[in-house]
Structure formats: C-alpha cells, structure tokens
Amino acid sequence: MPHAAPRLLLVEDEVRIAEFVLPALSAAGFGVAHVKEGASALAAALSGEYELVILDVMLPILSGFEVLAKIREAGNAIPVILLSARSELPDRLQGFQLGADDYLPKPFFVEELIARVRAVLLRRAGNESPEMTVGEFTLNKLSYNGTWRGTVAPLSQREFGLVECLMRSPNRIFSRQQILKIVWGINFNPETNVVDVCIQRVRKKLNRQAGDGKPFPIETIRGVGYRFRMEEGD
Ligand code: CA
C-alpha cells in the first residue's frame, strides 16, 4: 500500500512522556504525528492519514475514552492503544468495551509500547477480512476487485487506494489535497487533476447499472472534494 512506514498518531498532553516516546517510535521506523488534546486527536484519527492511534486517557477537552467512543461511533475501526495511569480493572474494562485494541498502564517502557504497536498492527493485518463492504459496495484486497450492485471490475492500485481511503471513513468529506497526500503521498500540488481522473475511472468501471436510479456511492462535493456515502441501514 502507499505508505512505506506505518503512520502513527500519538495523543499525549504530557510533554515529558511525548519527548521520550516520539524519538523512540521514529527510531523504530514509524512515522509519527503528535497532538496534545482530545478534539484535535479525534479529527486526526478520523482523517484517514494514520494506521494506529496511541491514546492517553487523561486529556484536556475530550478524554481519551470520549475520543475512542467518538471514533467508533463514526464507524471507524482504526486500531487504538490506550495509555493510562488509571490502570484499575474497571478502567481497563471500560477501554476494551469502548473498542480499544490494547491498554498499556503508565509508567511503561517504550520498548513495550513499540512491541504492542507491532503486535496490534500484525493482528489487525492477519484478522482483517480480505473484503471490506459498505452498503452495496465491496472491495476485495486480494483480487483488487471492486463490486457494486452486481458489477465487478478490477481496480488499479491507485483506484483501489482511493476507494479504500474514502470507504474507511464513510460520509467523511476528503479534499483533493487530503486524498493526494494519503493515496499518492504528494503533499501539495494544486495543478494536478489526477484525483478527479481516478474517480471518473472508478465510476466508469463500476457504475454501469444506472437504470434504477441508485446513485453511485462516491459523491462529488462541489468545491470541497469527495466522500463515500453511507446511508442509514447500510
Ligand atoms: Ca494525560
């Protein structure tokens, strides 16, 4: 897939902890971004730019528990490892009930955090079904086929990456710049229309049965970007 190194999001308000965790994660080969409070953490976790979140529980604005609950409410399954000084059993259980993948009590050794990050990413890769389905759209990671309402078509790696990026956060609007960054690894290029061309190709390949009027789920949001529509009951 497009990212060479898995990109992690560290959410930690204590500078002292961030200062020893960030360099260790980078040295272990991860790309890491750091935010210090819950509201930015939620936005970043839902951005589609990261593959795992290391989330402190005691945070300003929104707690780690609240951030985790909102991530899962949004239908987003990004792996989350909770960090907390509150290592009492009820807290851990609450974390797992909210959908945490792992829970590491403070204080911790950074080597253990790295081992847990690797284990969670591996477990996720191993358990992940080769098929991802939202509504009537299915993406197969082994065959690179997309299926929509009975039409099956092979997708290129970029087309697949683009659809996967949108599908992972249904109904979230992605700008062209965000899509370029996530799928192409390009930071800023206002001149290119590769995203639009790629979307058109996917629609052409799969949107062959327009007869019953059901609109293709990848929508253009004029002047903003694109989103993968998920309807209630999907
Ligand atoms: Ca904290």
Side-chain angles (χ1 to χ4, degrees), residues 28-30 52 81 113-123:
F30 297 107
L52 183 143
I81 298 178
L113 174 63
I114 290 168
R116 285 176 186 261
V117 166
R118 290 202 172 114
V120 167
L121 288 174
L122 270 177
R123 198 158 68 219

Side-chain angles (χ1 to χ4, degrees), residues 56-221:
D56 185 33
V57 171
M58 301 292 276
L59 291 170
I61 306 182
L62 288 179
S63 77
F65 286 149
E66 288 172 302
V67 173
L68 175 58
K70 285 177 188 293
I71 290 173
R72 297 300 184 239
E73 274 166 31
N76 192 301
I78 187 169
V80 173
I81 298 178
L82 288 174
L83 296 180
S84 179
R86 300 160 60 179
S87 60
E88 297 297 317
L89 183 64
D91 284 330
R92 293 201 203 200
L93 292 181
Q94 187 185 355
F96 285 117
Q97 264 166 11
L98 290 171
D101 294 81
D102 204 350
Y103 198 116
L104 186 58
K106 287 177 177 177
F108 56 86
F109 290 103
V110 75
E111 292 83 357
E112 182 178 0
L113 174 63
I114 290 168
R116 285 176 186 261
V117 166
R118 290 202 172 114
V120 167
L121 288 174
L122 270 177
R123 198 158 68 219
R124 197 47 90 92
N127 283 351
E128 223 168 10
S129 154
E131 293 200 333
M132 170 162 48
T133 297
V134 174
E136 295 183 83
F137 197 107
T138 297
L139 208 51
N140 187 304
K141 292 171 193 176
L142 299 179
S143 63
Y144 270 50
N145 279 337
T147 305
W148 189 60
R149 315 203 81 206
T151 303
V152 184
L155 302 176
S156 72
Q157 189 179 335
R158 291 294 190 211
E159 291 160 1
F160 183 94
L162 193 157
V163 176
E164 186 185 32
C165 158
L166 298 177
M167 277 177 94
R168 278 193 187 281
S169 303
N171 290 336
R172 190 190 122 94
I173 300 170
F174 287 84
S175 69
R176 288 171 181 78
Q177 291 304 333
Q178 287 170 322
I179 295 171
L180 273 176
K181 190 170 165 200
I182 296 166
V183 181
W184 276 263
I186 299 173
N187 254 330
F188 186 70
N189 183 353
E191 301 301 322
T192 180
N193 67 343
V194 289
V195 173
D196 310 84
V197 171
C198 191
I199 297 249
Q200 291 311 322
R201 279 203 310 262
V202 172
R203 284 185 179 144
K204 210 167 177 178
K205 283 180 175 181
L206 285 165
N207 194 12
R208 293 187 191 137
Q209 300 183 326
D212 65 358
K214 174 120 182 173
F216 195 65
I218 296 178
E219 292 180 336
T220 306
I221 309 297

Side-chain angles (χ1 to χ4, degrees), residues 1-84:
M1 289 312 318
H3 307 314
R7 288 173 55 82
L8 314 179
L9 177 68
L10 174 69
V11 186
E12 173 59 82
D13 58 319
E14 287 165 73
V15 176
R16 187 176 52 83
I17 293 179
E19 275 176 354
F20 90 90
V21 167
L22 287 169
L25 289 172
S26 300
F30 297 107
V32 199
H34 174 216
V35 295
K36 294 177 183 165
E37 46 75 25
S40 336
L42 179 62
L46 296 178
S47 71
E49 291 179 30
Y50 304 99
E51 283 159 67
L52 183 143
V53 184
I54 301 166
L55 180 60
D56 185 33
V57 171
M58 301 292 276
L59 291 170
I61 306 182
L62 288 179
S63 77
F65 286 149
E66 288 172 302
V67 173
L68 175 58
K70 285 177 188 293
I71 290 173
R72 297 300 184 239
E73 274 166 31
N76 192 301
I78 187 169
V80 173
I81 298 178
L82 288 174
L83 296 180
S84 179

